Amino acid sequence: MIESWQLDSFSIALGVVAIFQGLEGVLGASQCSKWAACGNSVGGSASRPILSGEQQYLHDNGTCLFGHAGVDRDCSPGTACGATLHRCTCVSQDQAHSSLQSHSLLRLAAGIIMLAGGLACLCARCRWQYRKMSNRVTTFSTGLDHNNPEGENGGRNF
């Protein structure tokens, strides 16, 4: 059987997820799609483009061996709707490794913060539920003294 506090906690969690998803659209006034792409791509796919110009660290098929990034290391979408085109270049193994480490550390830190926040919310909810249940028990009184079960009036309640 599902308790009402479990449903409340579930709806709170869904609300938090909805808020975080809603924050994605805050960057622009409209709900248009934005993305970054390589302006010097002559083929391949978005994740494995074939880049024009002088490139190092290539596979036999022309795609980057260790990945690619913007020449200025900026590959984020702009504020306008649609694609933001960057000039891309293939990166070395060391650059790819350091980028992967920094992204992994950022994701780990974000995960720890979200876990701590979730545990704090769960503890607060359990504490609130405990107090709510404790108040129910303490407000109920039989009016009897445990040392004298019949009470002052011999069991008669006036």
Side-chain angles (χ1 to χ4, degrees):
M1 182 172 145
I2 297 176
E3 299 289 329
S4 65
W5 69 270
Q6 290 171 325
L7 289 175
D8 291 343
S9 299
F10 183 70
S11 62
I12 289 170
L14 284 178
V16 169
V17 169
I19 288 170
F20 280 117
Q21 286 179 345
L23 289 177
E24 289 182 57
V26 173
L27 295 176
S30 65
Q31 293 294 327
C32 63
S33 61
K34 301 172 185 128
W35 68 93
C38 292
N40 59 332
S41 175
V42 293
S45 65
S47 61
R48 290 283 187 185
I50 299 172
L51 303 174
S52 64
E54 182 81 23
Q55 300 293 330
Q56 296 178 350
Y57 315 111
L58 296 173
H59 283 287
D60 293 335
N61 63 1
T63 60
C64 297
L65 188 60
F66 304 109
H68 65 283
V71 173
D72 55 358
R73 296 282 178 241
D74 181 26
C75 291
S76 59
T79 57
C81 295
T84 303
L85 299 177
H86 297 281
R87 178 140 180 83
C88 298
T89 184
C90 296
V91 296
S92 68
Q93 185 175 10
D94 293 336
Q95 290 170 327
H97 185 69
S98 67
S99 179
L100 180 64
Q101 281 182 331
S102 65
H103 282 80
S104 297
L105 184 61
L106 180 64
R107 292 178 84 176
L108 177 65
I112 289 171
I113 290 169
M114 290 179 73
L115 178 65
L119 288 175
C121 288
L122 181 65
C123 289
R125 177 64 185 180
C126 289
R127 188 173 182 175
W128 177 79
Q129 188 71 23
Y130 175 75
R131 284 184 177 173
K132 185 177 172 184
M133 296 301 287
S134 295
N135 286 341
R136 269 193 214 154
V137 172
T138 56
T139 56
F140 178 73
S141 176
T142 60
L144 293 177
D145 183 8
H146 292 289
N147 296 328
N148 186 7
E150 294 187 351
E152 293 178 2
N153 300 322
R156 298 182 304 266
N157 293 324
F158 302 105

